Amino acid sequence: MAKRRMNYQGRMSAEAADRVAAVTSSRPSTPLQTSWFEFLLDPALLEKHLQMCNADPTAVQLIVQFLEQASKPSVNEQNQVQPPADNRRNRTLKLLALKVAAYMKWDLDVLEKGLTIPVLNMLLNELLCVSKVPPGVKHVDLDLSTLPPTTAMAVLIYNRWAIRTIVLSSFPEKQTKPGPHQMNMLNVVQQEKEMTENILSVLKEQASDSISVLAGALRLKKDFYVHTMRTLDLLAADAAAANGETESSTAGLRISADELHCQVHYDLGAIFFQQGCTDQPAFEKARDHFRQTKELLKKLDSAIHVHLDEKRLAGYWNACKALTGDCDSCDSQTTHYDQINMMISARSYQAVVEAFVKDNVGRSLPKHFRCSVLRELLHKAQQGEAGLDEVCHKLCVCNAVRDALEGEVLGLRFQQLLLKPSKRLVDFILEVSTRSLEKERSSETSRRNMATFMRTLCESLEDRSLVFVVSSHKLFTELLKEEERKLLVEQMRKRSATVNLSAKPLPSFYDIPASASVSVGQLEQQLILSLDPRRIRQILTELHGAADRRFWRVNSKWEVPADYRSVVLAIKDNLTKDLVYIFMAKGLHCISIKDFLHARQLFSACLELVTEFSPRLRQVMLNEMLLLEVRAHETVAAEGSKERPPPDLVSRVRGYLEMRIHDLPLRQVVGEECVAFMLNWRENDYLTLQVPSTAVMNNPYIKLGQLLASTCKELPGPKESRRTAKELWDVVVQICSVSIQHKRSNDGRVGLIKHRESSMGILHRSKLMTFVTKIREPLVLTTLISLFVRLHSIVRDDIVNEVTAEHLSIWPSSLPNIQAVDVEAVAVTVKELVTYALTLNPNNQSWLITQADIYFATNQYSAALNLYLQAGAVASDFFTKAVPPDVYSDQVLKRMIKCCSMMNCHTQVAVLCQFLREVDYMTAFKALQEQNSHDAMDSFYDYIWDVTILEYLTHIHHKRGEAEKRQIAIKAIGQTELNTSNPEEVLQLAAQKRKKRFLQAMAKLYF
C-alpha cells in the first residue's frame, strides 16, 4: 500500500539547536518537557519516559497530546477542512496513546480522573478497533466465549467504562466559573460540554446492552488477557502476526476470572444502585452484586488487577441492606448500622434513642450517619407521622452531646431547642451527658469539653429555675471547680438583674415569632414537594391561617402561561387564587416531565374548583386537559404504540378546532398540537373538508394543517394535483421571505436591505419548525422535505450539487421574487427537517439520500458517503440483495465516486465506476494512475469484474515495476467466471456477487 511519508528532519534541527542552547546555558533551568513528536522518532523512548519518577508530561497528558494530534482535521488544496487523514503518522499516534494506557494496566480509576469523557471515549473506541472487535455488530450480540481473549477484554473494558461513566455523571459537580483570562476559552469549553452530553446520551441509551454484556462476562470461567505494550507493538509491526499472537493463551497481561468478576460485580452493583432511585427492585440486584464483590475480595489474597474503593463498597453495602431490609447479623462490621435500620423499619424509635446514647460512649457510628437518621425522622414528622417530634428532640440532644464531647460547635437545631426548653428536656440533656461520660474510660479532654458544654447550657437558658436544675446536678458539680461555679452563678445573677431593670421586658429575638416562622417554612417546603391535590389544599389552608401572604410566589419555578396569568390573578379570594395558580403550575410541570398521572389529578382538582365560580376558567382547564390527553397519547405513540386514539379524544380535538368563544384566553400551543395530532392520525378528510372556514382564516396552524392534508391526500393519486400544492408552496415561501427596503447610498446607487426579523408569512420560521417537530406522519414529513428541497434548489441555483427528494414535480420550478427569500433560513430549515425526520425513522431510503445530498453539497464527503451506503443497505437488506436502480441511480453513484475521490480513496473510485450503466473508463483509469491512495488498493482488486480495468491495472503495475501487485491483478483477471466467453447470465452473476461483497466491505469501513 503506497503511503505518504512524513519528514521531521528539517523541523527537528531548529528545535535541537534550542535544546543545546538551553542545556549549555549558564543560567540554571528546569528540565525541558519532552515533546509529543519525539516519541514518533524514537519508539523506545515511550517506555523509558513512563518509567521515570516524575515524568513530564505525565501518562494521562501524553494520551491527551497523542489523541489531540491524531484527530486534528486537515486542509486540502482547495483550502477545505477535511476529516483527520488515515495515515501512518496518525495511526502511530493513536497506537502510542493505547500503549500509555496499557502501561497503566487499563486502570479506569486513573484514566477517568485524568481524562475527559470525549478523550476517554476516543481512546477506548481505538482500543476496540485495534482489538479487531467486529464493526457494525452490537456488543450485546457478540459471543465473548468465541472471541480472542484480548478482543473480549476490549469489549468488557469499554462496557465497564460506559456504565461507570453513567454512574459518575449522576453525581453533582460544582461548576467552575471562568475568570477574565479564561473568557476566550468559553467556546472550547462549550464544545467539550456538548460533546460530553452527546456521548452520555448515547451511553445511557445503550446502558441495558452494556449491562447485558457484563452479565455475560460473569458466566465465563476462563482467564482473560488484556493488551500490553508488547502486544500493541506486535500489532504495529505485522497485523497478521499480531492476530495470531494476541489470540494465543500466553500473550498479553493475564487477568484471572475471579479478579475480573470482582471488578464487574462492583461496576454492575453501582449502576443498579443508581437505577434504584426510579426502580426499587434494582437495589436488590445491586445488593447481590456487592455481596459477590465482597466474597471475591476475601477469596483473592492479592488482587493486583482489582481497582475499587473499599470504603465506597462498604457504603454501598450498608445502603443496600438498609434499603432492602436485608440485615446479616453475622457481619460484625455493619451490625450497628443494621440494628438502627431495623429499629427505624420497626418504628422502635425509643430504641434508636437508646442506641445513640450508648454510641456516645463507643462512638462507632459516624456523625454523618447519625445526622442522616435525624433528617430521615424529621422528614417523617413533616409528612405527618405522629409522635416523632419528641424523638427528634432527643436525637438532636444525643448528637449535640456527641459534638460537645469532641469539642465541636453545637448545631443550630440544638440551639433552637434551648430557646424555650421544658424541664423534661433539660433533665434528658443531663441524663445523656452523664451516661455519655463514663468515668472509667473518659479522657481529660472529654471531661474538659463536657464542662464547657455544661457552662454553655447554663448561659443559654433564660429560665432561672432551669439554670438551678443544671447547676445543682451532680455532673455539674463534678466537672466544674468551685471558683468556676461561683463565677458562673455570679454572671447569671447579673444577667437576671439587668433584665429586671426594664419595667416591661423585651421578648427574646428568637421567641415565638421565630418558631412560627419555622412552622411556616416547613409547610412551604411540603407545599413545594407535594403533588397530592388534597394535601396541597390542606397545606394552603394552614398557611393562610398562619400568615397573610401570596403563597403562589413560594417557588419561582411555578409558572402559569402568560395567556392565563391575568385571569388567574384576578381571582379575589386569596386562597382560591393560590390553589388555582399552584394546581395549574404543578400540572404543567408534570406534563413537561411526562408524569401524566399526577397532571390529571391536579388538573381535575383545578377544574372542580373553578367550575364553581368561573365559566371562563372552566373552559381554560378543559382546553388544558385536552392538551394533556393529546400529549399523553402522542408520547405513547412515539414509543412505538400503533393504537389509534379513542373516538372521544378525536371528537374533543375537533370540538376545540371548531370552538368560537369570545373573550376566552387561548394558548397557541393547544391549537398547534391539535392540528399536529390530526395530521399524525391521518384525519385528512376532516382537515380538508370539515374545518370551518373562520377557523382556517383565524388560526395559522389550522390553515397550514389543511394545506398539508390536502396535498398529502392527493399525492397517492395517478395525477398529482398542483393546485393545493401551489397554495402550500405560496404559504411556505412567504414564511421564508423577509421584507426588503431600497436604500440609496452616498454615491447614488440603490441597494437592498433585508430585515430578517420581519417575517411576511402567517407565522415565523422558528414556529413552523416547532410545529413540524410535533409531526410523526411520514407522508407529511416527506411532503415538507420535498417542498423545502425544491425551494432550496431554486434559491441556491447550483445544478451540480442539487439536492434530491420525492415528489419534486408537484412544486413550481421558479420564483417571481427570489430576492425576498432568506436563503440561509431555507438551507437551515432543510437540514433541520431531514435531521428530525431521520430521528423518527433512520431507515427511510428517500430521507437518507436527501441527507447525503445535503452533506455532499456542503463538501462533507465522508458523511455523505456514509449515508449513501446506509440508503443502499436499507434497500438491499444490508447488501444481501441487489440495490434497486432507483436508489443507486447514476447520479447517486457519481456522487459516491466523487466522495471517494475527494478522500483519496482512488481504488474505491475505480470499483464504483463499474456500477454505472455505462462504465466510466476514463475516470477509473485516471484514479488508478494515482499513487497516493488512502484505501487498501490491491485488497479491492477482488471486487473488480470488468476485464478492461483489470488489464489496465496489470499494465500500470508492470510499468511501475510493482511485481507483487501485478500478480494480484493477474490472479483476479484469471478467474474463470470473468472469462468473456461465458454466457451473459454468468457474467452478470459474477458482477452481482462482487457488487454485494464490495458494498458490504465499504459499509464496514464507513459505518
Side-chain angles (χ1 to χ4, degrees):
M1 188 186 304
K3 293 290 176 188
R4 180 180 297 171
R5 299 184 177 277
M6 299 187 67
N7 185 2
Y8 297 95
Q9 301 303 319
R11 182 171 55 187
M12 277 302 295
S13 59
E15 297 193 12
D18 291 339
R19 284 181 177 277
V20 172
V23 172
T24 57
S25 171
S26 60
R27 183 181 177 181
S29 61
T30 56
L32 290 170
Q33 189 183 67
T34 310
S35 296
W36 61 268
F37 60 79
E38 295 182 51
F39 298 99
L40 284 172
L41 302 174
D42 184 1
L45 178 61
L46 181 62
E47 193 164 1
K48 293 177 186 176
H49 178 82
L50 292 172
Q51 289 171 352
M52 293 168 62
C53 289
N54 295 312
D56 187 19
T58 63
V60 289
Q61 287 173 343
L62 278 177
I63 292 175
V64 173
Q65 290 178 17
F66 291 148
L67 292 179
E68 183 181 3
Q69 294 298 327
S71 60
K72 277 189 175 179
S74 58
V75 179
N76 63 10
E77 296 172 356
Q78 288 81 27
N79 203 30
Q80 294 169 335
V81 178
Q82 300 292 311
D86 183 17
N87 52 29
R88 182 182 175 186
R89 167 191 175 275
N90 288 350
R91 286 195 296 273
T92 306
L93 284 168
K94 292 175 184 177
L95 193 66
L96 286 171
L98 291 173
K99 287 173 71 175
V100 176
Y103 181 83
M104 299 164 72
K105 297 182 180 178
W106 305 99
D107 186 348
L108 288 179
D109 281 338
V110 179
L111 291 171
E112 287 165 347
K113 288 176 184 175
L115 301 176
T116 62
I117 289 176
V119 174
L120 195 45
N121 179 59
M122 191 188 310
L123 178 73
L124 295 182
N125 273 293
E126 193 60 31
L127 174 64
L128 296 175
C129 184
V130 301
S131 301
K132 305 294 190 299
V133 175
V137 180
K138 285 187 175 182
H139 291 178
V140 73
D141 297 330
L142 295 172
D143 185 357
L144 295 180
S145 61
T146 62
L147 294 176
T150 50
T151 305
M153 195 64 186
V155 173
L156 293 179
I157 289 173
Y158 178 84
N159 286 281
R160 276 188 57 221
W161 168 75
I163 64 171
R164 287 165 65 98
T165 302
I166 294 169
V167 173
L168 287 173
S169 70
S170 66
F171 298 156
E173 288 185 4
K174 185 177 180 181
Q175 298 294 326
T176 56
K177 295 183 179 179
H181 63 287
Q182 294 175 299
M183 293 305 288
N184 58 342
M185 294 293 291
L186 280 178
N187 287 338
V188 177
V189 172
Q190 184 62 28
Q191 288 176 6
E192 184 172 308
K193 183 181 178 183
E194 289 175 0
M195 288 175 62
T196 301
E197 289 174 353
N198 291 337
I199 292 168
L200 279 173
S201 66
V202 172
L203 294 181
K204 288 174 182 176
E205 287 174 8
Q206 299 173 351
S208 58
D209 288 353
S210 294
I211 292 171
S212 299
V213 169
L214 295 179
L218 296 175
R219 294 192 288 270
L220 301 179
K221 304 302 179 185
K222 63 179 183 179
D223 292 342
F224 292 80
Y225 294 84
V226 67
H227 275 303
T228 60
M229 296 182 79
R230 173 175 166 267
T231 58
L232 290 168
D233 276 332
L234 289 171
L235 283 174
D238 186 350
N243 276 342
E245 178 70 14
T246 55
E247 289 177 21
S248 70
S249 59
T250 57
L253 178 65
R254 176 179 169 274
I255 311 291
S256 71
D258 284 343
E259 286 179 310
L260 181 72
H261 289 175
C262 181
Q263 192 74 64
V264 169
H265 275 302
Y266 178 76
D267 293 334
L268 285 173
I271 189 70
F272 282 126
F273 188 88
Q274 190 243 350
Q275 293 177 350
C277 300
T278 54
D279 180 20
Q280 187 69 21
F283 284 126
E284 296 180 6
K285 297 178 184 178
R287 177 201 60 200
D288 295 340
H289 283 292
F290 288 132
R291 179 184 285 120
Q292 292 289 335
T293 306
K294 288 164 64 70
E295 291 173 0
L296 286 168
L297 275 176
K298 290 178 185 177
K299 180 180 175 183
L300 294 166
D301 294 330
S302 58
I304 302 172
H305 305 300
V306 175
H307 305 285
L308 55 84
D309 186 343
E310 293 194 35
K311 288 184 179 179
R312 185 176 286 271
L313 172 62
Y316 273 135
W317 175 242
N318 293 331
C320 286
K321 290 199 297 180
L323 290 165
T324 58
D326 176 28
C327 296
D328 184 2
S329 58
C330 299
D331 192 345
S332 59
Q333 293 183 354
T334 57
T335 300
H336 297 298
Y337 296 103
D338 298 340
Q339 287 176 351
I340 289 176
N341 287 323
M342 289 172 64
M343 293 170 192
I344 293 173
S345 300
R347 299 189 177 183
S348 302
Y349 299 126
Q350 292 304 323
V352 176
V353 174
E354 185 65 23
F356 270 43
V357 174
K358 290 180 179 177
D359 184 67
N360 280 354
V361 179
R363 304 184 194 175
S364 58
L365 293 174
K367 284 193 289 185
H368 65 79
F369 176 76
R370 294 167 62 111
C371 291
S372 70
V373 171
L374 176 57
R375 282 196 300 269
E376 182 179 349
L377 296 186
L378 281 169
H379 180 68
K380 288 186 176 183
Q382 290 174 0
Q383 295 298 317
E385 189 169 334
L388 277 181
D389 289 339
E390 185 180 358
V391 173
C392 291
H393 292 165
K394 287 183 176 181
L395 290 180
C396 182
V397 168
C398 292
N399 286 346
V401 173
R402 167 75 175 268
D403 288 337
L405 287 168
E406 296 180 350
E408 301 286 343
V409 178
L410 299 178
L412 177 63
R413 194 178 299 278
F414 177 72
Q415 293 178 11
Q416 287 177 334
L417 279 181
L418 296 181
L419 296 176
K420 294 196 69 177
S422 63
K423 182 177 183 300
R424 185 175 178 182
L425 179 67
V426 173
D427 288 339
F428 183 74
I429 294 173
L430 294 170
E431 178 192 346
V432 174
S433 301
T434 304
R435 292 179 59 187
S436 300
L437 196 69
E438 282 195 352
K439 294 180 181 178
E440 296 79 7
R441 296 174 54 186
S442 59
S443 64
E444 185 59 33
T445 303
S446 297
R447 294 177 65 81
R448 193 163 51 249
N449 290 337
M450 183 57 74
T452 304
F453 177 66
M454 289 288 107
R455 190 161 48 245
T456 303
L457 185 60
C458 284
E459 291 172 349
S460 302
L461 295 171
E462 294 187 358
D463 189 334
R464 292 182 63 184
S465 63
L466 295 178
V467 174
F468 178 75
V469 170
V470 176
S471 61
S472 61
H473 195 270
K474 182 181 178 182
L475 181 65
F476 182 88
T477 56
E478 285 180 357
L479 293 176
L480 274 76
K481 297 176 183 178
E482 186 176 354
E483 295 81 7
E484 292 177 323
R485 294 200 301 271
K486 287 181 179 179
L487 181 62
L488 184 60
V489 170
E490 186 64 26
Q491 288 176 349
M492 294 294 103
R493 187 179 293 111
K494 287 181 179 179
R495 189 182 70 176
S496 176
T498 304
V499 170
N500 288 332
L501 288 175
S502 172
K504 186 177 180 182
L506 294 171
S508 168
F509 177 76
Y510 295 102
D511 212 348
I512 295 173
S515 59
S517 174
V518 170
S519 175
V520 169
Q522 291 174 348
L523 286 170
E524 288 178 346
Q525 183 185 21
Q526 293 179 41
L527 180 65
I528 291 171
L529 295 175
S530 180
L531 291 174
D532 180 11
R534 290 187 179 181
R535 180 62 182 148
I536 292 171
R537 184 190 287 263
Q538 180 185 354
I539 293 168
L540 278 172
T541 304
E542 291 181 34
L543 283 170
H544 276 272
D548 184 16
R549 281 165 45 196
R550 300 174 180 178
F551 291 101
W552 58 268
R553 290 182 173 177
V554 165
N555 189 351
S556 61
K557 298 292 179 68
W558 288 339
E559 293 181 357
V560 164
D563 305 276
Y564 305 153
R565 190 180 176 90
S566 60
V567 181
V568 174
L569 296 183
I571 299 172
K572 293 181 180 179
D573 181 68
N574 288 333
L575 175 59
T576 306
K577 183 195 301 179
D578 285 345
L579 281 168
V580 172
Y581 192 100
I582 293 171
F583 281 157
M584 190 180 293
K586 281 179 174 281
L588 291 169
H589 171 71
C590 288
I591 293 175
S592 69
I593 61 173
K594 299 183 180 179
D595 182 0
F596 299 114
L597 178 62
H598 282 114
R600 286 190 184 95
Q601 294 173 358
L602 290 160
F603 277 1
S604 297
C606 191
L607 177 63
E608 182 182 349
L609 182 64
V610 299
T611 301
E612 300 172 1
F613 66 89
S614 174
R616 289 176 68 200
L617 278 175
R618 178 180 179 277
Q619 189 58 54
V620 164
M621 289 312 304
L622 287 173
N623 294 346
E624 289 299 317
M625 293 183 76
L626 171 61
L627 179 60
L628 161 64
E629 296 303 333
V630 167
R631 283 189 177 170
H633 195 84
E634 288 297 287
T635 300
V636 174
E639 292 170 356
S641 172
K642 301 296 183 184
E643 183 180 353
R644 285 192 61 81
D648 173 62
L649 180 57
V650 177
S651 176
R652 287 168 62 193
V653 170
R654 291 183 177 185
Y656 178 84
L657 294 177
E658 297 170 9
M659 182 178 61
R660 289 293 162 266
I661 300 177
H662 297 292
D663 196 27
L664 179 68
L666 295 174
R667 278 212 295 161
Q668 282 274 20
V669 69
V670 184
E672 178 185 352
E673 299 212 15
C674 284
V675 173
F677 175 84
M678 300 297 271
L679 287 171
N680 287 336
W681 294 105
R682 304 180 193 88
E683 295 286 336
N684 293 339
D685 286 339
Y686 172 78
L687 288 173
T688 306
L689 304 173
Q690 299 176 34
V691 178
S693 58
T694 53
V696 177
M697 296 298 295
N698 296 327
N699 192 320
Y701 295 105
I702 296 178
K703 181 175 180 61
L704 192 60
Q706 185 185 66
L707 292 173
L708 281 167
S710 301
T711 306
C712 293
K713 187 179 175 184
E714 294 168 352
L715 271 180
K719 291 184 179 180
E720 295 171 334
S721 172
R722 292 176 181 267
R723 186 180 60 82
T724 53
K726 177 66 168 60
E727 289 181 27
L728 178 60
W729 169 271
D730 290 339
V731 166
V732 172
V733 168
Q734 284 291 94
I735 291 173
C736 295
S737 296
V738 290
S739 61
I740 296 178
Q741 291 181 1
H742 296 271
K743 184 176 181 180
R744 188 175 300 277
S745 61
N746 294 332
D747 58 2
R749 289 181 296 180
V750 176
L752 297 178
I753 299 177
K754 291 186 178 181
H755 295 274
R756 292 184 182 277
E757 69 280 0
S758 54
S759 174
M760 298 168 61
I762 58 175
L763 44 79
H764 285 276
R765 191 196 70 87
S766 58
K767 291 185 177 180
L768 171 65
M769 278 312 303
T770 304
F771 172 66
V772 169
T773 55
K774 295 175 171 62
I775 296 174
R776 293 178 295 97
E777 171 56 31
L779 187 58
V780 178
L781 290 171
T782 299
T783 303
L784 282 168
I785 289 170
S786 172
L787 188 156
F788 274 98
V789 164
R790 169 64 84 186
L791 184 57
H792 182 259
S793 299
I794 293 173
V795 297
R796 202 162 181 268
D797 195 19
D798 184 0
I799 299 175
V800 177
N801 294 324
E802 198 171 65
V803 181
T804 58
E806 292 182 285
H807 311 303
L808 289 176
S809 61
I810 67 171
W811 312 112
S813 56
S814 62
L815 281 173
N817 189 12
I818 196 169
Q819 289 179 326
V821 178
D822 188 342
V823 180
E824 184 181 340
V826 173
V828 169
T829 307
V830 170
K831 292 176 185 176
E832 290 178 353
L833 255 176
V834 181
T835 302
Y836 167 69
L838 285 172
T839 61
L840 298 177
N841 182 8
N843 297 325
N844 187 297
Q845 301 162 24
S846 171
W847 298 346
L848 286 168
I849 293 289
T850 302
Q851 181 78 302
D853 286 345
I854 292 169
Y855 283 130
F856 182 84
T858 53
N859 302 331
Q860 299 179 66
Y861 298 113
S862 178
L865 185 57
N866 175 293
L867 287 161
Y868 285 133
L869 288 167
Q870 279 191 50
V874 168
S876 61
D877 197 9
F878 199 75
F879 304 117
T880 55
K881 307 168 187 172
V883 181
D886 60 327
V887 177
Y888 276 1
S889 62
D890 270 11
Q891 181 182 352
V892 169
L893 290 169
K894 286 177 180 176
R895 291 187 172 185
M896 292 171 70
I897 289 168
K898 184 175 179 182
C899 290
C900 293
S901 178
M902 296 304 293
M903 292 188 292
N904 290 334
C905 298
H906 301 297
T907 318
Q908 295 172 14
V909 170
V911 178
L912 283 170
C913 284
Q914 306 171 107
F915 282 60
L916 297 167
R917 292 181 184 177
E918 296 291 334
V919 180
D920 188 350
Y921 290 112
M922 185 174 293
T923 304
F925 293 165
K926 185 179 178 181
L928 294 172
Q929 288 171 8
E930 296 283 348
Q931 292 183 299
N932 179 29
S933 187
H934 289 176
D935 55 22
M937 293 186 70
D938 45 13
S939 67
F940 285 110
Y941 291 177
D942 282 342
Y943 305 128
I944 300 175
W945 65 87
D946 189 281
V947 177
T948 306
I949 295 177
L950 286 170
E951 287 174 345
Y952 183 76
L953 267 174
T954 308
H955 165 69
I956 60 171
H957 286 316
H958 174 71
K959 188 176 178 181
R960 294 174 187 166
E962 297 168 344
E964 187 178 345
K965 292 181 180 179
R966 176 175 176 271
Q967 200 59 37
I968 295 172
I970 291 173
K971 183 179 177 183
I973 202 172
Q975 297 175 84
T976 54
E977 57 188 354
L978 298 183
N979 192 324
T980 53
S981 301
N982 287 336
E984 184 63 26
E985 55 269 22
V986 174
L987 294 173
Q988 286 293 329
L989 189 62
Q992 288 300 327
K993 183 174 75 173
R994 283 162 177 76
K995 281 184 180 180
K996 293 174 187 176
R997 286 171 47 215
F998 171 71
L999 291 171
Q1000 287 171 350
M1002 290 283 282
K1004 289 178 181 178
L1005 279 174
Y1006 290 99
F1007 282 4

